[in-house]
Amino acid sequence: MRNHQELKEEAVAEKILSHPKFQQMSRQKSVFGWSFSFIIFVMYVAFIWVIGTNPELFATKVNPDGVTTWGIYVGIFVIIFSFVITAIYVYFANGKFEKITQDVVKEVMGAEDEK
C-alpha cells in the first residue's frame, strides 16, 4: 500500500509530464535526438557501404610515397564527427532542455505549494 507522500509525488510527476511546456520540450528534444541519430546512422552506413562496394577508394594512399590511406582519415573523421554530434546534443540537453524542465518543475511545485 502506497503512503500519502508517494501518492503526492506521483500527482506532481503527472502534472509535470502533462504540462504543455514540458510536452513541447519533450517533442523538441525527441526530434533533435532522432535527427542526430539519423545523421550518425547515415554516416556509418555510408562508411561501411563504401568499404564494401569500393574498398580501393579508401585504400588509396594520401601520398604516393607514404603509407597512410584515405580510409584512415575518413575513419578518424567519422569517429570525431560522432563525438562532436554527441557533444552538441549533450550541450543542448543539459542546457536549454534542462532549463525548461526546471522551469516547469518550479511552476508546478509553486502551484502545489499554494494549495
Side-chain angles (χ1 to χ4, degrees), residues 17-35:
L17 293 174
S18 63
H19 195 284
K21 280 172 55 176
F22 184 84
Q23 288 183 344
Q24 180 184 7
M25 179 278 304
S26 181
R27 282 190 297 273
Q28 288 175 346
K29 188 176 179 181
S30 179
V31 167
F32 194 64
W34 282 109
S35 298

Side-chain angles (χ1 to χ4, degrees), residues 2 7 17 19-20 23-24 29-30 32 38 48-49 59 62 68 70 72 82 86 90 101 103 106-107 110 114:
R2 295 188 300 208
L7 292 173
L17 293 174
H19 195 284
Q23 288 183 344
Q24 180 184 7
K29 188 176 179 181
S30 179
F32 194 64
F38 179 75
I48 298 301
W49 179 72
V62 175
T68 306
W70 282 108
I72 296 295
S82 298
T86 302
V90 168
T101 301
D103 291 346
K106 287 177 187 174
E107 190 175 314
E114 292 175 7

Side-chain angles (χ1 to χ4, degrees), residues 40-89:
I40 290 174
F41 175 76
V42 168
M43 172 86 58
Y44 276 96
V45 167
F47 180 71
I48 298 301
W49 179 72
V50 170
I51 289 172
T53 59
N54 192 4
E56 309 83 41
L57 185 64
F58 285 163
T60 305
K61 292 182 180 180
V62 175
N63 181 349
D65 299 328
V67 294
T68 306
T69 63
W70 282 108
I72 296 295
Y73 289 118
V74 173
I76 290 170
F77 171 78
V78 168
I79 292 168
I80 291 172
F81 182 79
S82 298
F83 276 108
V84 169
I85 287 288
T86 302
I88 291 170
Y89 176 81

